[in-house]
Amino acid sequence: MRPTPPQPKGEPLFGNARQYADDPFRFLTACERSYGDVVSLDLGPLETYMLTDPDEIQQVLVADADSYVKPDFQDDAIGDLLGEGLLLSEGDTWRHQRDLANPAFAMTRLGEFTDTIAGHAEAMIDAWRDGDSRDVELEMTQVTLDVICDLMLDVELTEGQRETIRENLAPIGARFEPDPIRFITPDWVPTPNNREYQAALDELDRVVSEIVAERRGTEGYEDDEDPPMDVLSILLRARNRGEQSAKQLRDEVVTMLLAGHDTTALTLTYSWYLLANHPETERAVQAEADAVEGPVTFEAVRELDLIERVIQESMRLYPPVYVMFRQPTRDVELGGYRVPKGSAVMLPQWAVHRSPDFWDDPDQFDPDRWLDQGDRPRFAYFPFGGGPRHCIGKHLAMLEAQVILTTVAREFSLDTDREGELDLLPSLTAHPRGGMPMTLRRR
């Protein structure tokens, strides 16, 4: 094996942590273009190896998936937030929870979801007026939250519950922005950030408790001919069988609420921004949407070629999940280097999706690049992760994004004064700093 991978020069005490915290997107891109497929980074508590070779990424996520877990450093604040939900649980717990949830996301159910998604999109634009200025990120957050609550929890949030979730997303997100000082500050220290985070978490838990209480007794029984198959009903029936603790139930509902809407909302937000800055593509999208006669059905969505490519290209340029981490449970070899057990392996979608090694004009918005993918490696693009732990809702997310984009594009154009590369706010996901204010133009 080769010696230690190259490492960018860092600072005393902080290593590369401040460089990463200042602008993780620029830092990830610079490392990928300067140091090659494997880069050693000093980011704090764990020795970190950044991996950008698609074949090696596939090895981590697919071929050797059983040799990796989520890193220990994700067990603090994020553990308080998501607990033993599908995103963070491991081993038998994860397999059991995944097996329970899988039927709710079955491909055979997707056709049943389309009318519901379209209904929520239509309700959103019914409140829009020509010339309105709206924060489109907030609009997309609201509609995707309504969709996931309807489809996977079978609840309709009250306005008070919606407002509570909206108000507390910001302090929860702020807790996960890169901060080198936080690496050396225990979570129990009552800093203003930690206090705000805990207060927001308490409010979110209150809403979750209300949702679960509302649904108790409506989940059906195992021997019912056609029991409800939303995630919460499945989990409540498992709870009745003694297979689900109150804590597990809470963790899965929080995971569904947050992970179930955030990435789709961001994908749509960036799609609107990119279309506003590429009017020819926007007109072509509108023409494709106009060609859908009547309601946006599942069959119609399957014919949406350009709209699907726009969404794919949006997730390439602005992957909501911009970096993933895994931790080897044994010494492994990656890119010819020894990576020790217990270190962190960073898989940066942001850098790989924009690498000139795999993409022509990688910083340019070009939906047509998806017409012919050639011999591009499979994991040159992995917005939903990959392997056994790929995003359970990826097919629902794509369907939802296409239905909402089509429904809106038939009625409105969205304009923005912003141009060029966006200033992003890094948290668990990549948000546009300052939201996405846009002007609505009725067609």
Side-chain angles (χ1 to χ4, degrees):
M1 280 186 274
R2 291 186 283 175
T4 304
Q7 178 175 351
K9 185 178 180 180
E11 303 174 300
L13 183 62
F14 292 107
N16 304 118
R18 282 210 289 209
Q19 296 163 295
Y20 181 76
D22 286 346
D23 189 339
F25 309 101
R26 188 183 300 273
F27 181 74
L28 292 171
T29 299
C31 286
E32 186 273 333
R33 298 187 183 181
S34 300
Y35 298 105
D37 296 339
V38 184
V39 184
S40 177
L41 300 174
D42 179 6
L43 295 179
L46 294 180
E47 188 175 357
T48 301
Y49 296 85
M50 179 175 126
L51 191 64
T52 56
D53 177 75
D55 292 337
E56 298 286 353
I57 292 170
Q58 183 168 354
Q59 189 77 15
V60 171
L61 294 179
V62 183
D64 291 341
D66 288 343
S67 296
Y68 293 86
V69 295
K70 298 294 181 75
D72 289 341
F73 66 71
Q74 295 188 359
D75 289 344
D76 298 325
I78 194 171
D80 293 338
L81 178 62
L82 302 179
E84 289 287 293
L86 276 175
L87 281 181
L88 293 188
S89 58
E90 295 288 352
D92 291 342
T93 298
W94 172 79
R95 279 184 283 273
H96 179 65
Q97 296 300 100
R98 181 87 174 201
D99 288 345
L100 281 175
N102 270 332
F105 294 92
M107 292 293 291
T108 53
R109 299 191 73 221
L110 287 184
E112 306 170 13
F113 295 158
T114 313
D115 288 349
T116 299
I117 298 168
H120 285 291
E122 289 162 1
M124 174 182 68
I125 61 176
D126 281 347
W128 288 7
R129 298 292 178 265
D130 184 38
D132 279 357
S133 179
R134 299 245 177 172
D135 180 351
V136 169
E137 183 191 10
L138 183 59
E139 296 290 308
M140 297 303 108
T141 294
Q142 187 58 67
V143 71
T144 54
L145 183 62
D146 286 344
V147 167
I148 205 67
C149 285
D150 193 335
L151 294 180
M152 291 299 139
L153 303 179
D154 194 21
V155 296
E156 180 178 350
L157 296 176
T158 67
E159 188 52 45
Q161 289 170 330
R162 285 195 189 95
E163 188 63 27
T164 296
I165 293 173
R166 279 198 299 264
E167 288 177 351
N168 290 288
L169 286 177
I172 287 174
R175 179 60 184 79
F176 300 101
E177 293 171 23
D179 182 354
I181 300 299
R182 191 177 298 126
F183 283 140
I184 58 176
T185 305
D187 281 350
W188 53 263
V189 175
T191 64
N193 187 278
N194 284 347
R195 287 198 301 270
E196 289 178 9
Y197 173 73
Q198 189 56 55
L201 191 56
D202 290 343
E203 286 295 293
L204 184 62
D205 281 344
R206 180 176 62 79
V207 172
V208 167
S209 295
E210 293 171 355
I211 290 172
V212 173
E214 178 184 339
R215 287 297 321 283
R216 283 195 184 279
T218 68
E219 66 270 19
Y221 298 92
E222 301 299 330
D223 56 358
D224 286 350
E225 184 176 341
D226 188 20
M229 291 305 292
D230 59 277
V231 169
L232 185 49
S233 290
I234 291 171
L235 295 176
L236 284 169
R237 291 198 294 271
R239 170 92 164 128
N240 295 340
R241 296 193 302 267
E243 298 177 8
Q244 199 81 181
S245 68
K247 176 68 164 56
Q248 283 178 309
L249 193 61
R250 175 265 176 209
D251 293 345
E252 295 296 2
V253 174
V254 171
T255 297
M256 202 59 56
L257 274 176
L258 300 186
H261 86 275
D262 185 48
T263 53
T264 308
L266 289 168
T267 294
L268 284 162
T269 299
Y270 295 128
S271 295
W272 294 124
Y273 170 76
L274 291 164
L275 289 172
N277 279 281
H278 296 83
E280 289 187 10
T281 304
E282 181 187 37
R283 287 191 290 271
V285 161
Q286 290 167 349
E288 186 172 77
D290 290 345
V292 176
E293 297 182 1
V296 182
T297 64
F298 184 65
E299 290 70 25
V301 169
R302 296 174 68 179
E303 302 299 319
L304 296 174
D305 174 63
L306 175 58
I307 287 173
E308 180 179 12
R309 288 187 279 116
V310 164
I311 292 167
Q312 288 177 303
E313 183 71 347
S314 170
M315 289 191 292
R316 184 190 70 82
L317 278 172
Y318 294 103
V321 178
Y322 59 95
V323 66
M324 299 168 56
F325 289 92
R326 292 291 186 268
Q327 187 174 48
T329 57
R330 59 177 176 82
D331 290 355
V332 296
E333 180 179 342
L334 294 173
Y337 297 101
R338 174 184 170 274
V339 175
K341 171 184 176 179
S343 56
V345 176
M346 174 192 282
L347 311 175
Q349 287 99 322
W350 179 272
V352 179
H353 286 192
R354 289 172 173 250
S355 171
D357 291 341
F358 316 116
W359 308 93
D360 295 332
D361 299 320
D363 296 328
Q364 299 304 308
F365 174 68
D366 180 14
D368 287 348
R369 72 172 77 246
W370 296 95
L371 291 171
D372 180 13
Q373 299 187 49
D375 57 357
R376 185 182 302 123
R378 175 184 172 191
F379 278 83
Y381 179 75
F382 57 114
F384 296 109
R389 297 199 64 138
H390 70 269
C391 173
I392 193 173
K394 67 178 183 179
H395 297 298
L396 171 59
M398 282 299 298
L399 173 68
E400 186 179 355
Q402 290 177 84
V403 171
I404 293 172
L405 197 150
T406 303
T407 303
V408 173
R410 295 203 293 187
E411 301 291 334
F412 285 91
S413 295
L414 280 64
D415 295 341
T416 180
D417 293 332
R418 293 186 180 183
E419 296 180 356
E421 197 62 76
L422 288 169
D423 184 16
L424 300 179
L425 183 66
S427 181
L428 289 175
T429 48
H431 291 256
R433 198 178 295 273
M436 187 64 73
M438 301 187 81
T439 302
L440 312 179
R441 303 294 184 196
R442 185 173 289 278
R443 296 180 56 211

